[in-house]
Amino acid sequence: VMMNFARIGVGIQGLGQCELATQNAIRYARDRKQGKSESGSELIVDHPDVRRMLLHMKAITEGARVLAYETATYVDIARNHPDPAVREEAQDWVELGTPLTKSFCTDSGFDLASMALQVYGGHGYVQEHGIEQIVRDAKIFCIYEGTNGIQALDLVRRKLTLREGRLPSRFISAVRGELESSEDFGFIGSPLSTALEALEHATTEIQKLGLQGATDTAFGSADYLRAFSLTWLGYNWLRMAKAASKQPQSLMAQAKLATAKYFASRVLTSVPSLCANATIPAASLMALPAEAL
Ligand SMILES: Cc1cc2nc3c(=O)[nH]c(=O)nc-3n(C[C@H](O)[C@H](O)[C@H](O)COP(=O)(O)OP(=O)(O)OC[C@H]3O[C@@H](n4cnc5c(N)ncnc54)[C@H](O)[C@@H]3O)c2cc1C
């Protein structure tokens, strides 16, 4: 109980680094002039490669925020709901969401801090703007309260087998239910269905392999954890896109839809290959003597 709480807390620290990196990078890119884009603008925010990095940072930060808050909300439901069946279901979500929130949000904190530094160019590398400090600070969150490697093992070894393996089934059914009422959102619904199918397949394979395939699934556990997290973010972006489409005049809603499109077409699509990695035999790689590495 204590570790669930602490790990969600560290995940939220990682999320804080994501937000800090993203807000700083956007603010700087709107102000910094360098070169000229096709449109004639001299601001770096109008260079396609910089725009790509900013959209990537928003897509991960805003999607991860829903992952963390949803997991934390289930903590409250699991503790306080009057119906024991609802409390039990919420507890399943907490146990599944905890290693994902801890690892994904903290890995992203470090990745996005590095991306923010890239947006700043040389001005990020030197100390003046404090961006290199975010990179240094963000790494500890991947390490304490159980390294992210240990979170991935917790997911494949414990969470997939706990209570007859029903934790991932709850997630898969929820996403499937959401997809059924999302016909108008094929731009994300379609890659999300593909991702979900790959995730379900990998999950069943890992559950079937059990102890027999323990080395292979441990080798692929970080990829599996990332695939699961990205699928959860896809579920979040589908729900955010649906909410945003109700307010077409709002600039925030327009940004949500554009960011959902970025995530659907350029991030969510990596899930099937991550899932393939999750169960690939690793015996030949483990057979290499340590001295040969
Ligand atoms: C700044 C800071 C503050 C800290 N604060 C606290 C604190 O307040 N309270 C506290 O209790 N601890 C604290 N820690 C300790 C922290 O929790 C540990 O550093 C962390 O759990 C990792 O343990 P380790 O450093 O011994 O690394 P190791 O366990 O040696 O890990 C090294 C690498 O091996 C991997 N690894 C280890 N075992 C396995 C395995 N079985 N399977 C696969 N991979 C494995 C790890 O994932 C990692 O990549 C703090 C550490 C730091 C740096």
Side-chain angles (χ1 to χ4, degrees):
V1 170
M2 183 193 87
M3 292 316 282
N4 271 337
F5 185 74
R7 287 173 176 173
I8 295 168
V10 173
I12 289 174
Q13 289 183 301
L15 183 63
Q17 306 299 305
C18 292
E19 185 66 42
L20 189 61
T22 305
Q23 281 190 27
N24 275 285
I26 292 173
R27 188 177 47 82
Y28 184 78
R30 282 180 182 151
D31 185 57
R32 169 75 174 164
K33 287 182 179 167
Q34 185 70 271
K36 230 182 209 154
S37 68
E38 294 293 313
S39 67
S41 164
E42 292 178 0
L43 297 170
I44 64 168
V45 71
D46 293 317
H47 292 315
D49 187 54
V50 174
R51 185 64 65 102
R52 169 189 67 79
M53 290 191 274
L54 298 177
L55 280 170
H56 187 86
M57 295 172 83
K58 276 175 73 67
I60 297 296
T61 302
E62 294 170 25
R65 185 180 297 127
V66 180
L67 165 65
Y69 284 12
E70 193 155 50
T71 303
T73 302
Y74 278 122
V75 173
D76 291 345
I77 298 171
R79 281 185 188 172
N80 301 313
H81 201 281
D83 183 342
V86 175
R87 286 205 302 274
E88 190 178 275
E89 173 168 354
Q91 186 57 29
D92 285 353
W93 281 90
V94 172
E95 292 186 48
L96 180 65
T98 298
L100 303 183
T101 297
K102 198 283 178 181
S103 291
F104 187 79
C105 294
T106 60
D107 279 342
S108 299
F110 186 69
D111 292 348
L112 299 194
S114 170
M115 201 170 256
L117 195 154
Q118 192 70 24
V119 169
Y120 273 72
H123 294 277
Y125 188 77
V126 297
Q127 288 188 332
E128 187 185 348
H129 293 274
I131 299 301
E132 49 73 48
Q133 168 112 37
I134 308 176
V135 181
R136 283 187 282 125
D137 288 349
K139 195 61 202 172
I140 187 57
F141 307 124
C142 310
I143 294 169
Y144 62 22
E145 295 304 347
T147 62
N148 288 355
I150 296 299
Q151 303 302 316
L153 284 182
D154 175 50
L155 179 65
V156 300
R157 295 239 171 109
R158 286 190 62 238
K159 304 300 169 65
L160 293 196
T161 51
L162 204 61
R163 300 183 202 108
E164 293 83 43
R166 73 180 190 205
L167 273 55
S169 312
R170 290 206 190 272
F171 173 80
I172 290 163
S173 308
V175 181
R176 211 154 261 151
E178 192 66 41
L179 281 165
E180 277 165 17
S181 61
S182 309
E183 301 80 29
D184 297 341
F185 293 84
F187 76 89
I188 181 160
S190 170
L192 181 57
S193 293
T194 307
L196 193 68
E197 215 171 285
L199 184 72
E200 188 171 25
H201 178 72
T203 303
T204 314
E205 283 298 298
I206 294 170
Q207 287 170 330
K208 269 200 297 201
L209 281 167
L211 282 179
Q212 251 185 332
T215 301
D216 300 332
T217 53
F219 205 98
S221 59
D223 285 330
Y224 177 76
L225 183 144
R226 187 163 179 80
F228 211 128
S229 308
L230 290 176
T231 310
W232 195 320
L233 262 68
Y235 175 43
N236 300 344
W237 273 113
L238 172 62
R239 290 178 287 168
M240 285 193 273
K242 285 162 88 170
S245 69
K246 293 180 186 143
Q247 307 167 53
Q249 305 305 325
S250 144
L251 260 188
M252 186 177 116
Q254 287 168 26
K256 285 278 179 207
L257 282 167
T259 313
K261 278 181 189 147
Y262 173 89
F263 184 83
S265 59
R266 291 163 191 268
V267 185
L268 191 52
T269 41
S270 64
V271 170
S273 65
L274 289 167
C275 284
N277 290 354
T279 52
I280 278 179
S284 63
L285 303 174
M286 292 306 295
L288 184 69
E291 313 83 84
L293 282 169

